[in-house]
Amino acid sequence: MNTLRAILFDFDGVIADTEPLHFAGLRRTLADIGITLTEPDYYANYLGFDDRGCFLAALQANGRPVTPSILHDLMAKKAVAYLASVRDHLVIFPGVREFVREAAARYPLAIASGALRPEIELILEQAGIRNAFLHITSAEDVSRGKPDPQPFQFALAGLIQQRPGLALDAASCLVIEDSLPGIRSAKSAGMKVLAVANTHTTQDLHEAHAITHSLADTSLAELQTRLWPGARG
């Protein structure tokens, strides 16, 4: 019988309150090429995609040509602006450090994110929780971003490599997400999903197996009992 054996975290919107910084960097970069991105449009249509997906959608929506070199240049400019913002802000959500440290004492942890690796590493180091994660899957590691299951499949493979003696499979993984593309990615990978209503309303996140308003108020023991009924940890 399956039980909870590993936890996979999304990053932006779950661990780090970076969505306002991502929006600002994306808006500034698009403005340089004459495309206007509003905050409601970003949160309704772009949240949950990686940088490549955001720029691709924006270019297509505005009838602009899309080439690998154009995408590369836009992503590079946005990354510079974003990292500069991150260095000036401590962006960890309340309760995340405590939740991560408690979880790491009981389960192997990984991150599966559409963010770039330097962004993830910098913020985790700032927060003092980098060592809690055995594996990080970032945008550079996958060819298909969320809602495709590949990011979570890749992260699970990374954890299995780190813990070969542990009976890890998709059904024993809890994913913590904040967006609909992320929820669908995790469910397509065969994993259970806890949605945190940091960036979307609970109504928007209804496809998750469970929803919380904050990790500060979340009990791992209660989640295990609810999502793996009858299992023994």
Side-chain angles (χ1 to χ4, degrees), residues 207-223:
E207 293 183 22
H209 296 94
I211 301 174
T212 184
H213 287 283
S214 171
L215 288 182
D217 305 323
T218 301
S219 162
L220 279 173
E222 188 273 334
L223 276 173

Side-chain angles (χ1 to χ4, degrees), residues 62-154:
N62 287 273
R64 300 294 186 90
V66 178
T67 67
S69 63
I70 288 172
L71 285 173
H72 179 270
D73 289 347
L74 290 172
M75 290 166 63
K77 289 176 182 176
K78 188 261 183 178
V80 170
Y82 174 79
L83 279 176
S85 297
V86 165
R87 291 190 179 96
D88 295 331
H89 300 83
L90 182 60
V91 293
I92 297 296
F93 278 108
V96 164
R97 283 190 189 88
E98 295 80 4
F99 183 90
V100 165
R101 287 168 179 159
E102 177 195 351
R106 300 173 59 186
Y107 307 104
L109 308 185
I111 284 173
S113 171
L116 299 171
R117 184 172 298 275
E119 300 170 2
I120 299 169
E121 296 276 3
L122 174 62
I123 292 172
L124 292 179
E125 290 288 354
Q126 282 182 333
I129 54 174
R130 173 61 186 89
N131 291 340
F133 295 93
L134 297 180
H135 171 85
I136 294 175
T137 291
S138 62
E140 299 93 327
D141 298 316
V142 298
S143 58
R144 299 185 303 277
K146 303 169 187 177
D148 191 275
Q150 190 182 57
F152 289 111
Q153 293 169 337
F154 193 93

Side-chain angles (χ1 to χ4, degrees), residues 16-32:
D17 187 12
T18 49
E19 295 301 354
L21 304 184
H22 278 294
F23 165 63
L26 193 64
R27 179 180 60 181
R28 190 178 311 121
T29 306
L30 288 171
D32 288 343

Side-chain angles (χ1 to χ4, degrees), residues 146-168:
K146 303 169 187 177
D148 191 275
Q150 190 182 57
F152 289 111
Q153 293 169 337
F154 193 93
L156 174 57
L159 280 182
I160 290 172
Q161 189 173 30
Q162 292 288 331
R163 289 286 188 271
L166 195 60
L168 282 181

